[in-house]
Amino acid sequence: MSASTVTEVEGFSPAAFDRLIESRNEPAWLQELRQSAFDTFQSMSLPSRKEEEWMRTDIRMFHLDKFAVPEQVKPEVELPLGVLRQGVDVGGSIVSYNGHTVESNLSEELRQQGVIFGSIAEVLEQRPELLEKYLLTKAVDPHFDKFSSLHAAFFTGGQVLYVPKNTVVKQPLHALSVLGPGGVDLGHTLVIVEEGAEVTMLNETASLDNKAPGMHCGAIELIQHPNSHLRYINLQNWGQGVWHFAHQKAIVERDSTLYWTIGALGSRLSKVNQHVALVGEGAYCEVNGVMFTEGKQHLSYHTLQHHEAPSCRSNFLYKTALQDHSRTVWRGMIKVDNAAQKTDGYQRNDNLILTEHARADSIPGLEIEADDVRCTHGATTGKIDEEQIFYAQTRGFTRKEAMRAIVIGFFQQVFDRIPLESVRDALGNAIASRVREYE
Amino acid sequence: MTDVLKIENLHVAVEGKPILKGVNLTIKRGEIHALMGPNGSGKSTLGFAIMGHPNYEITAGSIHLNDQDVLEMAVDERARAGLFLALQRPVSIPGVRLADFLRHATTNVRNPDRKEGEELIPMREFRKEIKDKMNHLSMDMEFARRYVNDGFSGGEMKRAEILQLAMLQPKFAILDETDSGLDADAVRLASQSIADIGGENMGLLIITHHDKLLEHNPPQFAHVMLGGKIVETGTVKLAQELHTDGYDRIRKAYPEAAAAELEMNEEEVSPAV
């Protein structure tokens, strides 16, 4: 890059956009996609609390102009390995730093099987037609809001996983995104699983400095062709100074299964839209959400399980523990189209409030147009029962040990649904280390 | 030297309301004491006060385990010092497997100075021990994999308490109606179990309405509590008498305590009148 282009370019301005386009040698279709998203981005203002979706999530302290398109920089320190791959024999891994890929590898065996796992830039060179077909076209809508358009216009890093027809990938693939202090990550994850294929992906985020500010504005797209099976594990572990905005959508076709685990531990504020569309008969989706918030964290998850085809099942379970002044919002919707007869939909959100000033809002919802369906939902919010603590103490547990056991027990129902030990351990350890002694 | 649990002039209030009004009781390790008395006389309160439940305020008196001041100790310190309370209504802890719970509990009680985060007793060793104990109590190993008291029947809860007693081997155990909610066969089994797990090595305070639990654990002492005091102490014969004849004789013999009992229970009774 020549010295003249290093001059100050304001945040996400038209000049910054032009510079991004110039600096990346991307095909015309992608430039057009970015341009159209940028137009939307410019035409929209940041959401306000007047909007239904943002009523409970205050981003007045978020100043977009304090951030800018991330430059490719070399991390000055060694990046963490990530917690999800501990003890796991992975088939490939990608690491990105401040939204740029710094490491990418895939085993020769998987490469020979036709599996693709690489950065967006790599895959753009190898298989541009794949990206043209799937990137921000089928799942996430770039024009949905200010953040989705910002992401689509400016995304830099990210990863693509493609599993060809009838290919069963035994080794999980691992992607880690790391933010440095003040960093910006606009990473995109795209997973395409062809008919009859099977794969597990571990995706996690981390910050080098738990307190430093940062921003992530990302998207996850999971595309499943008929009779495919995907386990997708997403651990959001940004530092507590990071603003986290994400649109995540899965499209699940006929007879496919999706097991999606979300661990949400980090960020200063999160606003995540998680959307699963069951578009083919007999599809199944299970979502396991684990959240633990502390300090002044605010995590807002809006989930949508959209039954578009008949005889699909969906099962969402979110468990949240909160301490200090933290706050969570969970808004879950089961939407059943007229065509989606014999739907079996379930959603549940349980909240455990550990300290007086934490607050959890649970808003389950149903929108049903078919008549032959079964949909159930529920939400609970409660505190640790002092009688439980006393009981454990009479058996020799300290008060803190008792609380830790009770909190981990609260999450056990979700852990029981997660077959990967590294994932259970990573979440279990993170939870155990957070639990304190409460009055 | 024999371990001694000594309770002197114990006064306990719950939400400001006096429940125990001067209880004196000395239990030596190896002795069995039966504590009887009508509902609401303060039997369970004594158990909770000995163990240190935060809702039970000690307004006067003392509890000593040998020369240790029990009232100065946190609940878990009491457990580690060798006190155990089998609850009348054990609490469920969903998501925590009984085996894991007990491994942690056993580790802490056997290593009273263990710091948080230090190693638990080795899994293999623990597994063998709990398996032996469960076999002995005719319990299926599957039981230990269930979450603590979660969805347990009344009988299962009581058996889980006995299993914990067997694993923790305290110096002194208070069994608060460990027989209630059990049918006759189950009571016999529980009674047998308590004797089997080395009850003779403990000091036992058995709170019960029935004499069946005492069948295999014949008490050297039987105490009657009325109106927040122990009004009479006798032998196993006293326990049998109360079981057969009820508390009329006691109420007549101790009119002051009977009046206190009436007063204590008034609040609970009046709405029904």
Side-chain angles (χ1 to χ4, degrees):
Chain A
M1 198 178 290
S2 69
S4 62
T5 57
V6 184
T7 50
E8 281 294 303
V9 177
E10 289 287 308
F12 300 97
S13 62
F17 181 74
D18 290 344
R19 198 175 109 187
L20 179 84
I21 294 290
E22 275 166 33
S23 70
R24 297 170 79 91
N25 187 21
E26 290 176 343
W29 64 264
L30 184 50
Q31 291 188 355
E32 280 160 28
L33 188 155
R34 286 187 187 274
Q35 183 65 54
S36 137
F38 184 66
D39 293 344
T40 300
F41 169 73
Q42 284 211 294
S43 72
M44 282 182 169
S45 47
L46 282 172
S48 78
R49 294 173 82 186
K50 290 196 187 95
E51 290 165 53
E52 171 75 24
E53 277 223 10
W54 295 83
M55 266 172 60
R56 295 172 174 80
T57 302
D58 187 353
I59 54 166
R60 281 175 299 179
M61 296 295 283
F62 171 69
H63 300 291
L64 186 57
D65 56 10
K66 287 197 173 150
F67 299 100
V69 185
E71 299 288 343
Q72 176 120 35
V73 287
K74 268 220 168 82
E76 284 165 8
V77 294
E78 201 173 323
L79 298 181
L81 280 175
V83 290
L84 292 182
R85 64 176 294 179
Q86 300 283 333
V88 181
D89 178 24
V90 299
S93 70
I94 292 175
V95 179
S96 63
Y97 179 68
N98 283 353
H100 290 277
T101 307
V102 292
E103 185 192 315
S104 167
N105 60 67
L106 176 67
S107 78
E108 193 48 42
E109 190 192 337
L110 293 181
R111 206 181 294 274
Q112 302 235 323
Q113 287 182 288
V115 173
I116 295 171
F117 186 56
S119 69
I120 299 242
E122 285 173 309
V123 179
L124 204 50
E125 276 189 16
Q126 296 163 17
R127 296 284 299 275
E129 83 288 353
L130 258 188
L131 294 191
E132 185 170 3
K133 186 171 175 189
Y134 293 108
L135 184 68
L136 291 162
T137 53
K138 305 246 188 272
V140 170
D141 175 8
H143 307 284
F144 184 85
D145 65 11
K146 183 86 171 170
F147 294 106
S148 66
S149 59
L150 168 69
H151 170 80
F154 289 100
F155 72 87
T156 52
Q159 46 272 323
V160 181
L161 169 62
Y162 172 82
V163 186
K165 205 168 169 179
N166 296 328
T167 305
V168 175
V169 180
K170 290 255 161 37
Q171 293 166 300
L173 297 150
H174 180 250
L176 166 69
S177 299
V178 181
L179 268 179
V184 172
D185 180 303
L186 305 172
H188 190 98
T189 297
L190 173 61
V191 178
I192 302 145
V193 192
E194 290 283 12
E195 186 163 352
E198 204 175 312
V199 71
T200 295
M201 181 164 173
L202 310 171
N203 204 348
E204 64 184 299
T205 69
S207 290
L208 290 181
D209 180 339
N210 190 43
K211 295 262 170 5
M215 174 178 126
H216 170 256
C217 179
I220 294 171
E221 301 188 284
L222 310 177
I223 314 281
Q224 285 189 258
H225 289 282
N227 194 30
S228 66
H229 306 285
L230 172 62
R231 284 189 186 280
Y232 184 76
I233 290 95
N234 183 211
L235 174 61
Q236 186 275 101
N237 205 6
W238 297 120
Q240 292 184 16
V242 174
W243 300 88
H244 168 56
F245 305 100
H247 287 274
Q248 310 176 339
K249 183 171 177 183
I251 294 180
V252 189
E253 288 194 33
R254 175 177 54 77
D255 297 329
S256 291
T257 58
L258 169 62
Y259 292 86
W260 188 346
T261 294
I262 292 206
L265 301 170
S267 84
R268 168 183 178 158
L269 177 143
S270 287
K271 170 68 169 67
V272 175
N273 288 76
Q274 187 197 20
H275 179 170
V276 175
L278 299 157
V279 302
E281 201 164 339
Y284 174 68
C285 170
E286 180 179 298
V287 169
N288 299 311
V290 170
M291 295 200 248
F292 196 140
T293 57
E294 61 181 2
K296 289 185 174 177
Q297 285 185 289
H298 177 115
L299 267 60
S300 174
Y301 273 71
H302 288 227
T303 67
L304 170 61
Q305 45 208 111
H306 190 175
H307 286 255
E308 300 182 30
S311 306
C312 293
R313 292 175 299 137
S314 65
N315 183 326
F316 278 47
L317 173 65
Y318 269 81
K319 290 223 170 211
T320 308
L322 306 91
Q323 62 192 18
D324 305 329
H325 284 74
S326 65
R327 186 168 175 198
T328 59
V329 179
W330 175 80
R331 195 185 163 92
M333 176 64 78
I334 304 180
K335 194 171 171 202
V336 182
D337 289 355
N338 192 24
Q341 300 296 351
K342 308 279 183 201
T343 283
D344 188 345
Y346 177 77
Q347 61 173 348
R348 184 176 181 90
N349 172 223
D350 295 321
N351 301 296
L352 185 61
I353 311 275
L354 298 172
T355 56
E356 192 187 346
H357 298 289
R359 176 177 157 185
D361 292 352
S362 267
I363 310 129
L366 299 173
E367 212 177 287
I368 299 173
E369 285 175 26
D371 46 23
D372 183 13
V373 302
R374 195 177 75 147
C375 288
T376 43
H377 62 177
T380 63
T381 298
K383 295 177 186 167
I384 291 188
D385 185 350
E386 281 293 332
E387 296 302 325
Q388 288 180 324
I389 296 171
F390 173 73
Y391 182 69
Q393 281 186 296
T394 67
R395 306 300 139 99
F397 283 67
T398 63
R399 185 173 173 85
K400 189 173 179 183
E401 287 172 334
M403 286 187 170
R404 190 177 294 138
I406 293 162
V407 173
I408 291 175
F410 168 77
F411 285 110
Q412 189 61 43
Q413 191 188 353
V414 183
F415 292 168
D416 283 347
R417 294 166 36 139
I418 302 173
L420 288 164
E421 197 181 348
S422 74
V423 177
R424 286 197 307 266
D425 285 353
L427 292 171
N429 291 340
I431 289 163
S433 69
R434 280 194 175 196
V435 179
R436 294 197 291 264
E437 187 169 337
Y438 314 99
E439 282 307 309
Chain B
M1 203 186 79
T2 313
D3 294 306
V4 179
L5 181 66
K6 191 165 193 175
I7 298 153
E8 290 172 291
N9 189 32
L10 191 70
H11 287 67
V12 177
V14 177
E15 290 172 353
K17 187 181 161 193
I19 307 288
L20 297 189
K21 295 161 181 169
V23 172
N24 293 289
L25 180 63
T26 300
I27 305 174
K28 290 187 180 133
R29 194 163 174 186
E31 289 177 353
I32 299 177
H33 293 243
L35 181 61
M36 306 182 78
N39 283 331
S41 59
K43 303 185 299 295
S44 293
T45 297
L46 179 61
F48 281 122
I50 293 171
M51 234 30 230
H53 191 292
N55 294 354
Y56 294 75
E57 189 200 346
I58 313 295
T59 50
S62 67
I63 304 175
H64 283 90
L65 173 57
N66 301 329
D67 54 359
Q68 287 177 284
D69 183 351
V70 171
L71 297 180
E72 288 296 310
M73 299 158 86
V75 178
D76 58 295
E77 288 169 344
R78 299 180 195 203
R80 294 179 197 210
L83 300 181
F84 182 90
L85 170 65
L87 271 76
Q88 189 179 346
R89 290 185 200 83
V91 182
S92 72
I93 308 182
V96 178
R97 289 180 216 291
L98 181 58
D100 295 332
F101 183 74
L102 257 177
R103 185 173 167 220
H104 200 140
T106 308
T107 304
N108 278 7
V109 167
R110 288 188 193 163
N111 309 290
D113 299 325
R114 174 180 176 270
K115 303 262 183 309
E116 278 177 35
E118 286 178 9
E119 289 291 298
L120 297 177
I121 48 179
M123 185 57 108
R124 188 185 294 246
E125 194 182 300
F126 173 76
R127 208 173 267 164
K128 187 183 175 306
E129 186 180 342
I130 194 171
K131 208 174 164 185
D132 288 349
K133 294 258 159 70
M134 291 181 81
N135 273 336
H136 199 70
L137 296 171
S138 310
M139 293 169 85
D140 194 284
M141 260 313 270
E142 188 51 42
F143 195 69
R145 283 188 272 274
R146 290 171 65 186
Y147 298 149
V148 177
N149 296 320
D150 190 28
F152 284 21
S153 69
E156 286 172 332
M157 282 191 193
K158 298 303 166 77
R159 298 187 68 198
E161 293 291 281
I162 293 169
L163 173 64
Q164 296 184 53
L165 177 67
M167 289 298 292
L168 298 178
Q169 291 286 327
K171 292 179 180 139
F172 294 93
I174 304 140
L175 309 181
D176 191 358
E177 298 200 16
T178 299
D179 51 357
S180 70
L182 302 184
D183 60 30
D185 285 344
V187 172
R188 206 166 294 126
L189 181 66
S191 170
Q192 178 71 49
S193 302
I194 291 163
D196 283 353
I197 59 175
E200 72 210 38
N201 297 321
M202 303 173 190
L204 292 182
L205 180 63
I206 301 178
I207 300 172
T208 182
H209 288 297
H210 310 287
D211 61 353
K212 275 279 177 283
L213 196 65
L214 305 174
E215 202 170 89
H216 291 276
N217 306 278
Q220 287 90 349
F221 303 95
H223 310 277
V224 190
M225 189 173 263
L226 188 69
K229 278 184 175 176
I230 290 178
V231 292
E232 196 169 308
T233 293
T235 63
V236 69
K237 285 204 179 90
L238 175 62
Q240 284 156 355
E241 177 218 310
L242 296 173
H243 180 63
T244 321
D245 303 339
Y247 295 98
D248 285 352
R249 178 185 71 76
I250 296 289
R251 287 195 179 97
K252 280 194 189 106
Y254 306 97
E256 261 180 56
E261 181 201 14
L262 207 62
E263 196 185 318
M264 276 162 67
N265 292 332
E266 232 168 25
E267 275 176 47
E268 290 155 45
V269 175
S270 52
V273 172

